[in-house]
Amino acid sequence: MATIESTTEIRPFSVEVPEEDLVDLRKRIAATRWPEKETVADETQGVQLATIQELARYWGSEYDFGRVEARLSAFPHFITEIDGLDIHFIHVKSPHENALPLIITHGWPGSVIEMLNVIGPLSEPTAHAGDAQDAFDVVVPSIPGYGFSGKPTAPGWDPVHIADAWIALMRRLGYTHFVAQGGDWGAQITDVMGAKAPPELLGIHSNMPGTIPADVSKALATGGSAPEGLSAEESRAFEQLQFLYTKGIGYATEMNLRPQTLYGLADSPVALAAWMLDHDARSYEDIAAAFDGHPVVNLTRDEVLDNITMTWVTNTGISSGRLYWENTLGFFDIKGATVPAAVSVFPRELYQAPRSWAEQAYPNLMYFNEVGEGNHFAAWQEPKLFTHEVRAAFRPLRTTNDQGKSS
C-alpha cells in the first residue's frame, strides 16, 4: 500500500453520468414491486408508503436527471491518491485576498451535494450579502466510499484515517494554515482533526459536536438512568439522546453490524431512497413534507433527489454504509480536540448540545451559538444560516496577514 506522502498528483475530474445509467434507473423505478401500506397512521413503522410512492412517481417521471450533473459541473473537481485510495474533492478558490482555507466534510446519507449551496456564499461573500474579510477557499472532499471517491477494498478507512487523509490533502494543496468544519460523520472527522492538532489547523467548527461526558455516555450505552446533578439543558440533551439510541438509529445499527447485507441498496433505487430518507425523525418529517406537497424551505423534492441520485449513479449505497462498521469511536463522545473550536447548535439536530458540555469537550471554545431553525442537515437545509455561522465561528482566527492561501 502506498503511504500518504508517496503520490502527490492532483488530477482534474469531470462529472459525467452515462445516459444508459439514467435509462436503467428509470426502468428500475417503474418496475418496483410495492408492499402493502403500513398498519399505523404515522411513521413509527418507517418510511410511509404514500411518501415513497410519490417520490418514485416524481423521480421516474418529472425529475430532471441532468440536474445532478449540471449542479456538480458548475464547480471545479479534482482527484488525488492518498494512502492508495483516490479521493475526490471540489476546490473553489476565493477571488478575495487572504481568504481562509476551509475543508468541509459531509456525512451519511449525504455527499458533496449537501454543500453545493454554501460554496458560493463562503468563497465569494460579497456576491452573497457578505464581507470580503469573511472569504474562504473552500475544499469539499467526498468521504472514501461516498460519491466519486474510491471505494476501500480492505478495512482501515475509519474516521481517524480519514482525518489524517484530510490533513494530507490540505497540505498537498499548499495550505500552510486552514480550518475545518463538519456535521454528522464530518463532525466526528473534524473533531478527530482537532484532537490530532496538526500545526496548520487553526481551528474547527461543528454543527453536531461530540460533547457527551463519559458518565452520560456510559448511562446511554447501558440503558441506565441519567446521572444525578444534570442541569435542565443537560437533562434535555440526555432525553434526546436516549430516544435516539432506543428508537432512532436502526439504520446505523444495521450498517454498524452488517453493511454488506444491504444488497437492495445497489439493486433497487426505491430501496436506496427509502433507506436514505429514514435517517432521523425530524429530518424525515421535513423530507416527507417535500413529497406531501408542503416542502420546507431549501429542502425541495429536487434537492432530496439530487442526493439520492448521486448515490445511485455512483453505486455507493453499501460502500458508504461501511463507515459505520469501521468506526470505533463514540459518535457523540468527546474526542479530545485541543485547537480553538466553535459550535453551532441547531434546534432540530439529533441532540442539542448544552453549552456546559461544549465547554468541557472543547477547552478552547471560541464560539457557541444556539440558532433558531434548522435540523441535522444544516448546510443543506439552511444554507444562509449555516454560512452565517461558519463566518462568525472563524472570524476570531482571521488576521490581516497571509492566512495560508495556496499559490
Side-chain angles (χ1 to χ4, degrees), residues 255-296:
M255 291 187 289
N256 172 255
L257 296 173
R258 310 282 286 183
Q260 191 65 28
T261 298
L262 298 168
Y263 290 99
L265 306 187
D267 183 63
S268 167
V270 168
L272 177 67
W275 187 252
M276 294 177 70
L277 258 58
D278 202 12
H279 180 272
D280 68 277
R282 295 184 181 94
S283 296
Y284 173 72
E285 287 175 4
D286 291 348
I287 292 171
F291 292 97
D292 291 340
H294 307 287
V296 179

Side-chain angles (χ1 to χ4, degrees), residues 122-325:
L122 290 172
S123 62
E124 295 191 66
T126 56
H128 300 270
D131 192 306
Q133 294 181 353
D134 285 326
F136 295 90
D137 278 3
V138 181
V139 179
V140 186
S142 294
I143 294 174
Y146 290 69
F148 300 111
S149 278
K151 301 173 183 177
T153 57
W157 278 96
D158 62 358
V160 177
H161 193 167
I162 296 169
D164 283 330
W166 281 192
I167 295 167
L169 173 61
M170 295 303 280
R171 288 170 176 167
R172 188 170 298 177
L173 291 172
Y175 292 122
T176 57
H177 296 93
F178 65 91
V179 293
Q181 197 286 329
D184 196 89
W185 280 119
Q188 185 171 139
I189 292 164
T190 299
D191 271 359
V192 172
M193 293 172 70
K196 289 179 175 291
E200 299 91 347
L201 183 60
L202 298 179
I204 62 174
H205 173 261
S206 176
N207 54 276
M208 198 200 72
T211 67
I212 302 178
D215 59 339
V216 175
S217 181
K218 181 178 179 180
L220 289 166
T222 59
S225 301
E228 294 183 1
L230 297 184
S231 68
E233 291 78 13
E234 292 167 348
S235 295
R236 177 193 64 185
F238 183 88
E239 291 171 1
Q240 291 171 332
L241 288 161
Q242 192 175 51
F243 173 84
L244 177 69
Y245 283 16
T246 56
K247 298 183 182 296
I249 54 173
Y251 65 93
T253 301
E254 176 65 20
M255 291 187 289
N256 172 255
L257 296 173
R258 310 282 286 183
Q260 191 65 28
T261 298
L262 298 168
Y263 290 99
L265 306 187
D267 183 63
S268 167
V270 168
L272 177 67
W275 187 252
M276 294 177 70
L277 258 58
D278 202 12
H279 180 272
D280 68 277
R282 295 184 181 94
S283 296
Y284 173 72
E285 287 175 4
D286 291 348
I287 292 171
F291 292 97
D292 291 340
H294 307 287
V296 179
V297 176
N298 300 321
L299 198 59
T300 65
R301 295 179 296 182
D302 287 339
E303 288 280 353
V304 172
L305 285 171
D306 286 348
N307 189 49
I308 296 171
T309 303
M310 170 77 160
T311 304
W312 175 264
V313 299
T314 56
N315 193 16
T316 48
I318 287 180
S319 59
S320 61
R322 292 195 190 105
L323 185 55
Y324 288 84
W325 185 88

